Amino acid sequence: MLALRDIQPQKNEVYLDNNATTPVLPQAIEASTHTMQLCYGNPSSSHITGIKAKYILETTRDLTRQVIGAKTGQVMFTSGATEGIQTAIISSLIAAKHQQKSIENPVLLYGATEHKAVPESLKHWNKMLDIGAQVLAIPVDERGILDMTFIAEHVPNALMICTMIANNETGVYQDLALLEQTIRQHNSDVYWMVDCVQALGKIQLSISDTSIDYAPFSGHKLYAPKGIGILYVRESAPFTPFIAGGGQESGLRSGTENLPGIAALQAVLALLNDEQDDTFKSHEQLEKYREQLVQTLTKAFPAIVFNHDFTCSLPTTINFSVKGLSSKDIMDLFDAAHIRVSAGSACSSKVTGSFVLDAMGKPKWQSNSAIRMSFGPATSQQEIDDACHAIEQAVKALKSSCLILSDTADNSAIGVDGLQQWLYDNGCTWCYVDKATKQCFVIDLAPELVAKFETLVECQGYEVVAVLTTHIHQANEAHQNMIQTLWQNDSSSYDVLGWPQNTRLVSLENELAVEAITIGNKVIARLPLPGHTENSVAYLLGRADNQQLKAVDIEFVFVGDLIQINGLGRCDVQDGDASSLYRSLQLLNQVITEQTLLCPAHDYLQLFNTTLALEMQSQPMLKQIIDGEISEQAFIEYKNKADEQLPPADYHQYCGPVGSFNNIIETVHPNQLVKFISDSPNTVVVDVREPHEYDAYPDSTIGGKTMVNIPLSQITQFVQRNKSGQADNRYVCICRSGKRSEAAAKTLQRNNFTHIYHVPGGFALLNKS
Ligand code: PLP
């Protein structure tokens, strides 16, 4: 385990994720430390040490009242906003239950862009307390503003309505006065909770001048530590304690108060309340910061789209998307450049998008590519200048990787040579480049990656020799349009899978003659292999000698969904046929070796490639087919049963079984890495991040050794080129967090590389001076 003091921020870190949490102000740290060291009493103790603690507690409460404008009502301290939200919801629902309001079809309303804590708590307590209300999302318009007509229509039946002042993903704020008017005009006594988390310190509040019943706040969104929050409760609002016990907080919330957190909060609120102090910047100043960042971003990404209307958004949040770049591309780049932002969508191979942008009706690509950049009301001009400089530097790396176009960069020297895998929603797009001739082709290009492919082609000046697909499902007719757009030729010169007309013939190992096209000094041969669908084919890439493509000369086979990693493509889709699959597998075996690398159309396990040898090990049935030990009929029966067990076929997800693979990879912990390298001179430290991440921060040595960049997307090419002769090398894979390095290490080990290690925690836990 790393010692706590060894976990440090990276050098020149630029933190632009203040909506997730802010740093803690020095004054807050001091207040908290002082309380822990000297004023550690329990506010409930009646001795002098306790009285002092109680004084800190109550003066913080008074200050809170001033800052949020709570002249009346209760102000209590909680562990954070999520607890405040629970308390408000439970209080409202229990009251509604006891009052047995005579509403025929009761509803619980919440804004569609609310933080997940709200709808999830509403649903949970609605169920737990057996309320039986319908939980309804209030739609928002394209700017993220709540639909007042919907509220007017449904609020008469509502037991509770939950809205927020400002959104955490976009900073969009609501017109509170109009909202109040609408709610109260149609239901004067509905319980109303307003999540004020993102508003504190940014919008002037006068809470008890409104009819808001509950208002939760969170300390860690405003420079206090995590674990402290505030809940305002209107005087007349019902209340049920969420935590019972010793009766602290006048019985509203039991448990010894978090005094260090409360003292820190006091320090922050004191600064906020002090008109002479300039820690918290004016609205105008924050708008200037936003303008500066927006200009830098627009220059860096000419294709940028901002996902919200700045005229109704807090200046501290900028949410944007860049066509052709996923959230993950930008997140990875920025993180490598030591800039911390957050993605609107989850950063995994499964793309989920942002529900906030979805609710605003933004196009899917915008939602899938969203990045949130947030600074805080106490951010300094220097921090914004540093951020802009860091963004400019980071984007240079993106331009030289051809992920975005640049007018100035000379890209001729860079560029990939060979095969890359781009993963989208577990689907594999395979892109092959012959660097010498600047020719390329792409197989099974996901529509979402078309822009990335086009940018690469334009940036490098590649000639596209083919845009191919291994099979088409009925549902995927959009694919045809995509090929048409990408191909410069007219549509009569290629078939439905993108295969061009003027081809040559090559013969395969079993003498079968198949059509082929040329790329550099290699060929792509097309081998029809029906089974998963009727039109399924495989593409074989290799060097043909005298029009012969021998098994040993094939580098890669793009097998589509015939064979997957740990499974066979399912046959219970339209045009699927187990008998054809059986024969296709036997045919494939005749024309390749057991070690030829197979590149499937799906990669559920992030293992990139496979071989017949590996698949025969993990799938005894495949071995029986290839060895002719099972009859076609017996296989059909087996396969039909096996397919029935699979989840429903869904184009993006399940073209075959997902399987599992759990080999153990040896690890080198971040604090042992330097010693590990010096102990063994034949260690190769492999940075498996993408080239734009590797280049984003000029620091490629470790323990005096230069790291080698083998991007995870090019691991299959690396395997192909280095299958033999690497026995003595010790490869230590490293990436940002340890996830990709583990995937790379697994892939290498699975492909018979020995002495493979990875660094759990990756660069995040590596202390580089
Ligand atoms: N509400 C909003 C708008 C938020 O942004 C957050 C935190 O991200 C929460 C509620 C939950 O706050 P806490 O982390 O204090 O539980």
Side-chain angles (χ1 to χ4, degrees):
M1 194 172 95
L2 284 179
L4 207 51
R5 67 178 170 281
D6 288 334
I7 305 174
Q8 298 270 342
Q10 271 182 318
K11 226 163 135 185
N12 304 328
E13 195 164 276
V14 171
Y15 187 76
L16 289 170
D17 199 16
N18 285 258
N19 285 10
T21 195
T22 58
V24 180
L25 278 179
Q27 293 89 334
I29 296 171
E30 202 191 319
S32 172
T33 311
H34 177 84
T35 310
M36 283 188 282
Q37 283 180 333
L38 301 172
C39 306
Y40 46 78
N42 185 330
S44 299
S45 301
S46 50
H47 49 62
I48 285 182
T49 310
I51 293 170
K52 286 181 177 159
K54 179 95 174 160
Y55 179 80
I56 297 172
L57 177 68
E58 293 310 328
T59 46
T60 308
R61 202 183 318 274
D62 291 344
L63 189 55
T64 306
R65 284 188 180 281
Q66 282 179 46
V67 171
I68 66 170
K71 291 171 231 116
T72 55
Q74 305 281 2
V75 167
M76 56 189 269
F77 294 109
T78 61
S79 63
T82 303
E83 185 193 320
I85 291 166
Q86 306 304 302
T87 310
I89 290 175
I90 287 181
S91 296
S92 301
L93 296 193
I94 288 179
K97 198 170 170 129
H98 287 163
Q99 287 159 6
Q100 295 198 319
K101 287 189 179 178
S102 55
I103 297 175
E104 209 171 302
N105 295 310
V107 293
L108 297 171
L109 297 177
Y110 69 95
T113 57
E114 224 61 25
H115 186 277
K116 281 286 176 215
V118 172
E120 292 310 313
S121 307
L122 279 174
K123 286 177 206 159
H124 180 70
W125 293 114
N126 184 39
K127 195 166 155 204
M128 291 295 134
L129 298 173
D130 205 11
I131 303 292
Q134 190 187 359
V135 183
L136 268 188
I138 308 161
V140 293
D141 65 14
E142 70 290 350
R143 294 174 311 147
I145 304 295
L146 289 165
D147 182 339
M148 296 299 155
T149 317
F150 186 94
I151 294 177
E153 186 189 335
H154 292 279
V155 82
N157 290 338
L159 303 176
M160 183 179 197
I161 176 165
C162 302
T163 62
M164 72 202 312
I165 298 192
N167 185 268
N168 45 306
E169 281 194 30
T170 58
V172 167
Y173 55 78
Q174 305 293 328
D175 180 342
L176 212 56
L178 177 65
L179 190 55
E180 177 166 33
Q181 199 190 356
T182 312
I183 293 172
R184 294 304 173 207
Q185 193 183 338
H186 295 92
N187 190 339
S188 57
D189 58 0
V190 65
Y191 306 129
W192 181 23
M193 183 190 80
V194 177
D195 177 338
C196 297
V197 169
Q198 297 292 344
L200 187 63
K202 302 167 197 166
I203 289 180
Q204 189 68 39
L205 297 168
S206 186
I207 212 104
S208 55
D209 292 341
T210 70
S211 62
I212 294 171
D213 292 296
Y214 308 94
F217 298 84
S218 180
H220 74 101
K221 308 287 180 174
L222 194 76
Y223 304 103
K226 287 145 199 75
I228 185 68
I230 302 160
L231 179 66
Y232 160 82
V233 183
R234 190 152 76 117
E235 219 170 6
S236 57
F239 190 85
T240 299
F242 179 51
I243 304 177
Q248 286 89 345
E249 293 289 88
S250 312
L252 300 178
R253 196 248 189 207
S254 289
T256 303
E257 295 86 348
N258 169 7
L259 210 65
I262 289 167
L265 196 61
Q266 180 179 115
V268 173
L269 297 179
L271 292 170
L272 195 60
N273 218 23
D274 180 352
E275 283 176 12
Q276 306 307 313
D277 188 88
D278 64 357
T279 307
F280 287 92
K281 307 294 182 289
S282 68
H283 192 81
E284 292 69 40
Q285 184 61 51
L286 299 178
E287 280 188 335
K288 279 190 192 144
Y289 289 167
R290 171 169 69 188
E291 187 50 32
Q292 191 179 341
L293 281 167
V294 162
Q295 276 187 18
T296 304
L297 286 168
T298 310
K299 202 161 159 231
F301 303 106
I304 197 166
V305 174
F306 295 98
N307 294 324
H308 52 120
D309 182 345
F310 290 166
T311 61
C312 56
S313 307
L314 293 175
T316 43
T317 308
I318 303 171
N319 191 309
F320 65 90
S321 305
V322 181
K323 192 130 204 181
L325 293 179
S326 65
S327 302
K328 183 163 167 40
D329 290 332
I330 300 183
M331 274 288 293
D332 289 348
L333 169 80
F334 279 1
D335 220 10
H338 301 189
I339 305 168
R340 311 289 178 244
V341 295
S342 100
S345 64
C347 276
S348 66
S349 53
K350 179 96 191 65
V351 180
T352 51
S354 147
F355 75 90
V356 170
L357 298 183
D358 292 345
M360 289 161 72
K362 298 290 173 200
K364 202 67 206 152
W365 78 264
Q366 260 169 264
S367 162
N368 288 348
S369 313
I371 289 289
R372 175 185 74 185
M373 198 171 249
S374 52
F375 53 91
T379 297
S380 69
Q381 180 64 56
Q382 187 61 53
E383 286 172 275
I384 296 293
D385 292 344
D386 291 346
C388 290
H389 179 69
I391 293 168
E392 283 159 9
Q393 292 307 310
V395 171
K396 274 189 196 159
L398 208 53
K399 286 182 175 160
S400 42
S401 286
C402 282
L403 281 172
I404 56 173
L405 290 174
S406 145
D407 307 337
T408 49
D410 172 12
N411 301 311
S412 51
I414 7 158
V416 183
D417 189 23
L419 187 64
Q420 296 178 72
Q421 186 216 56
W422 301 336
L423 202 58
Y424 191 93
D425 249 356
N426 295 320
C428 306
T429 294
W430 294 98
C431 176
Y432 183 87
V433 172
D434 184 78
K435 195 172 180 187
T437 57
K438 290 197 137 207
Q439 290 178 310
C440 74
F441 67 83
V442 67
I443 293 182
D444 292 331
L445 178 58
E448 294 81 0
L449 298 175
V450 170
K452 176 171 174 162
F453 179 66
E454 284 181 318
T455 306
L456 177 74
V457 168
E458 191 179 334
C459 173
Q460 290 283 351
Y462 289 146
E463 176 201 347
V464 182
V465 299
V467 179
L468 303 171
T469 304
T470 52
H471 61 286
I472 295 191
H473 289 283
Q474 235 67 13
N476 189 18
E477 276 152 15
H479 171 262
Q480 198 54 20
N481 302 336
M482 186 177 77
I483 300 184
Q484 247 171 43
T485 331
L486 283 167
W487 260 131
Q488 302 302 314
N489 304 337
D490 71 281
S491 60
S492 59
S493 57
Y494 52 85
D495 74 7
V496 66
L497 298 180
W499 187 252
Q501 272 201 340
N502 296 324
T503 56
R504 51 193 268 210
L505 283 181
V506 293
S507 63
L508 303 178
E509 187 80 31
N510 64 352
E511 307 293 324
L512 182 71
V514 293
E515 289 183 34
I517 49 180
T518 308
I519 177 160
N521 56 10
K522 294 179 187 152
V523 293
I524 316 161
R526 179 180 66 164
L527 179 64
L529 292 175
H532 176 59
T533 67
E534 201 178 351
N535 61 17
S536 292
V537 301
Y539 299 104
L540 288 53
L541 180 78
R543 203 179 286 249
D545 198 9
N546 279 334
Q547 312 307 321
Q548 266 216 313
L549 184 56
K550 292 207 187 99
V552 287
D553 293 327
I554 297 173
E555 292 177 3
F556 306 105
V557 182
F558 303 96
V559 283
D561 284 332
L562 176 72
I563 298 186
Q564 296 177 344
I565 301 170
N566 282 2
L568 298 177
R570 67 193 301 165
C571 297
D572 60 346
V573 291
Q574 198 164 5
D575 291 341
D577 173 28
S579 129
S580 307
L581 193 87
Y582 178 90
R583 276 175 258 139
S584 292
L585 290 165
Q586 290 187 330
L587 174 57
L588 181 65
N589 176 55
Q590 290 166 17
V591 300
I592 65 171
T593 75
E594 287 191 356
Q595 303 303 332
T596 308
L597 285 171
L598 308 179
C599 304
H602 290 275
D603 184 4
Y604 305 106
L605 304 172
Q606 271 237 300
L607 289 171
F608 299 89
N609 54 62
T610 192
T611 60
L612 277 182
L614 282 168
E615 290 312 313
M616 284 195 287
Q617 264 171 34
S618 67
Q619 305 183 55
M621 173 58 67
L622 179 63
K623 185 160 167 44
Q624 288 180 27
I625 297 170
I626 283 172
D627 293 345
E629 286 168 3
I630 180 169
S631 71
E632 188 174 320
Q633 196 48 42
F635 172 71
I636 294 169
E637 280 163 29
Y638 158 85
K639 187 74 174 92
N640 290 344
K641 276 209 192 95
D643 284 347
E644 272 173 26
Q645 308 299 317
L646 295 175
D650 158 340
Y651 171 65
H652 283 291
Q653 293 291 314
Y654 298 116
C655 282
V658 173
S660 67
F661 180 75
N662 289 314
N663 57 345
I664 307 293
I665 302 293
E666 286 196 63
T667 55
V668 182
H669 282 272
N671 54 349
Q672 298 157 350
L673 185 56
V674 171
K675 181 163 184 321
F676 187 89
I677 294 168
S678 69
D679 284 353
S680 171
N682 57 353
T683 300
V684 182
V685 183
V686 182
D687 182 344
V688 301
R689 296 175 306 164
E690 295 306 304
H692 56 276
E693 294 169 77
Y694 183 74
D695 291 341
Y697 199 86
D699 185 12
S700 59
T701 59
I702 189 152
K705 239 189 170 146
T706 304
M707 288 180 273
V708 180
N709 184 210
I710 302 167
L712 195 57
S713 60
Q714 294 170 40
I715 197 93
T716 298
Q717 182 63 77
F718 178 81
V719 168
Q720 196 277 328
R721 289 199 182 126
N722 297 277
K723 265 196 285 195
S724 51
Q726 299 289 318
D728 291 341
N729 277 342
R730 298 209 297 183
Y731 288 103
V732 184
C733 300
I734 186 164
C735 68
R736 174 181 49 190
S737 68
K739 208 166 153 219
R740 283 178 285 174
S741 60
E742 190 176 12
K746 278 188 176 175
T747 301
L748 292 176
Q749 196 178 74
R750 199 167 171 266
N751 280 287
N752 298 329
F753 283 68
T754 47
H755 314 303
I756 299 297
Y757 303 80
H758 98 103
V759 183
F763 290 113
L765 295 186
L766 193 70
N767 232 347
K768 289 188 89 192
S769 49

